[in-house]
DNA sequence: ACATTGACCTGAGAGC
DNA sequence: TGCTCTCAGGTCAATG
């Protein structure tokens, strides 16, 4: 579930709750989720320090300590961040907890354990080592950059949108939303689109993601015409009332409206 | 070089 | 009630 808009909402939540507070204890409940560093080392390098700022790159979130290391969060399919003022409150599957002095606790919850927490010295180095493309909403990644990044691709547009080396941040759910808003079938190939159409896809991507962030990813705040709350086989299309269908595209469950988005190309 | 598929992991929800 | 099956979703290694 967590894609760029979710990550940005987590980031703002972290900024609003967890900056400039001394970290009293880092509690690792499940060390499977902590990568590249032992739980003891993670605690040693953070305890007594504090977070001073954060940044996002695609689906990755970094919380910086100023002179010290950054904590990297990746949320896998089921991860999220929660903060409670009451230090005894917990989520259902807490994996790593940052207990602050003067109360307050930041919880990394990850039911399906595909997320991770690690320490990095410099986010930019880590991003380039990883081979991640530009953050999908970053300043420089405009319609031209988007079109050029996709040129020559032979596969599905959906796959290209989700390819983190081309651009970082779009996942399965938002790729469906972008295709729905553009009225493109999930099996549309990149090659089938003109330059103009590709640029329109970029504009839609930007609009959809920014709108979702403004709504803080809360269903009731999303525009009525969004597919997201109706991503279910047999659900009603929020645009035409047709029936939402599910197909597999490159092994990913893809939801779309055959009425709006047409039949399978070719 | 690029594209696609399956494994990873675990619990929710559906169906019987 | 309780069991079994499918599905969710991001990433990476393996395969095409």
């Amino acid at each position: 579930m967590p894609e760029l808009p979710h990550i940005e909402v987590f980031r703002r939540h972290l900024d609003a709750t967890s900056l400039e507070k001394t970290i009293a204890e880092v509690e690792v409940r499940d060390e499977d989720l902590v990568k590249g560093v032992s739980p003891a080392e993670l605690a040693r390098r953070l305890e007594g320090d504090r977070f001073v700022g954060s940044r996002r790159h695609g689906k990755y979130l970094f919380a910086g300590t100023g002179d010290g290391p950054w904590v990297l969060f990746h949320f896998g399919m089921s991860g999220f961040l929660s903060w409670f003022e009451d230090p005894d409150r917990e989520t259902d599957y807490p994996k790593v907890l940052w207990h602050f002095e003067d109360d307050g606790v930041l919880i990394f919850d990850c039911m399906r354990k595909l997320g991770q927490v690690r320490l990095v010295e410099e986010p930019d180095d880590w991003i380039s080592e990883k081979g991640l493309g530009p953050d999908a909403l970053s300043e420089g990644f405009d319609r031209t950059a988007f079109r050029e990044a996709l040129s020559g691709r032979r596969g599905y547009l959906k796959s290209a949108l989700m390819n983190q080396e081309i651009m970082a941040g779009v996942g399965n759910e938002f790729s469906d939303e972008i295709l729905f808003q553009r009225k493109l079938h999930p099996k549309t190939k990149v090659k089938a689109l003109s330059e103009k159409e590709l640029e329109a896809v970029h504009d839609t991507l930007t609009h959809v993601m920014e709108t979702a962030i403004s709504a803080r990813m809360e269903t009731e705040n999303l525009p009525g015409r969004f597919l997201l709350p109706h991503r279910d086989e047999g659900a009603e299309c929020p645009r035409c009332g047709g029936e939402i269908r599910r197909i597999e595209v490159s092994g990913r469950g893809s939801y779309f409206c055959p009425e709006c988005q047409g039949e399978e190309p070719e």
Side-chain angles (χ1 to χ4, degrees):
Chain A
M1 217 234 256
E3 305 180 25
L4 188 151
H6 304 90
I7 310 311
E8 179 60 19
V9 172
F10 298 155
R11 194 188 70 75
R12 293 179 186 186
H13 187 54
L14 183 141
D15 278 3
T17 59
S18 303
L19 298 188
E20 307 296 349
K21 293 175 179 169
T22 303
I23 299 165
E25 188 198 350
V26 182
E27 183 190 356
V28 176
R29 293 273 180 88
D30 187 339
E31 56 185 284
D32 292 350
L33 286 276
V34 178
K35 309 287 188 185
V37 62
S38 68
E41 178 74 357
L42 180 73
R44 189 187 69 74
R45 295 206 55 198
L46 294 174
E47 287 172 7
D49 211 337
R50 62 214 168 115
F51 295 125
V52 298
S54 65
R55 55 174 288 197
R56 179 198 81 228
H57 190 96
K59 299 174 191 171
Y60 294 85
L61 174 62
F62 302 89
T65 56
D67 295 336
W70 295 71
V71 174
L72 172 155
F73 298 92
H74 186 66
F75 299 92
M77 298 199 287
S78 60
F80 62 92
L81 281 181
S82 274
W83 182 86
F84 298 115
E85 186 166 16
D86 177 352
D88 294 323
R89 279 194 62 188
E90 287 192 2
T91 53
D92 289 340
Y93 305 95
K95 303 299 184 188
V96 185
L97 303 87
W98 286 261
H99 299 278
F100 297 104
E101 275 178 17
D102 306 319
D103 290 352
V105 58
L106 178 71
I107 301 180
F108 175 74
D109 184 293
C110 193
M111 181 179 82
R112 281 167 217 160
K113 296 178 65 165
L114 294 179
Q116 53 178 267
V117 168
R118 55 172 80 223
L119 286 183
V120 298
E121 302 306 320
E122 172 50 52
D124 284 330
D125 292 343
W126 193 85
I127 290 162
S128 58
E129 274 170 39
K130 209 75 188 140
L132 293 176
D135 179 280
L137 287 188
S138 60
E139 198 79 10
F141 195 62
D142 56 16
R143 356 163 70 182
T144 306
F146 176 87
R147 174 164 53 71
E148 286 172 357
L150 265 63
S151 78
R153 292 272 154 184
R154 291 172 299 173
Y156 298 124
L157 173 62
K158 180 178 170 72
S159 306
L161 292 172
M162 290 197 297
N163 184 333
Q164 303 301 297
E165 295 181 10
I166 298 177
M167 74 198 83
V170 181
N172 197 32
E173 290 189 339
F174 273 87
S175 66
D176 279 357
E177 185 67 52
I178 293 161
L179 292 164
F180 175 78
Q181 296 298 335
R182 279 253 56 78
K183 299 187 181 179
L184 293 171
H185 189 279
K187 287 199 167 175
T188 303
K189 298 262 176 93
V190 174
K191 277 193 296 191
L193 297 173
S194 68
E195 291 195 353
K196 271 218 162 103
E197 287 170 319
L198 273 180
E199 293 186 353
V201 172
H202 172 267
D203 292 352
T204 299
L205 180 157
T206 305
H207 177 254
V208 162
M209 295 243 170
E210 286 177 349
T211 302
I213 292 168
S214 300
R216 305 170 77 192
M217 282 311 300
E218 288 158 17
T219 303
E220 61 271 25
N221 294 333
L222 290 173
R225 288 284 169 101
F226 262 46
L227 173 67
L228 239 36
H230 312 277
R231 252 179 115 261
D232 214 352
E233 176 95 52
E236 196 173 297
C237 168
R239 186 164 44 209
C240 77
E243 200 170 298
I244 300 300
R245 297 238 331 269
R246 175 188 189 276
I247 58 172
E248 292 225 344
V249 180
S250 300
R252 310 306 306 272
S254 309
Y255 295 86
F256 74 112
C257 172
E259 295 289 325
C260 294
Q261 294 167 262
E263 291 305 316
E264 191 168 325
E266 267 153 288

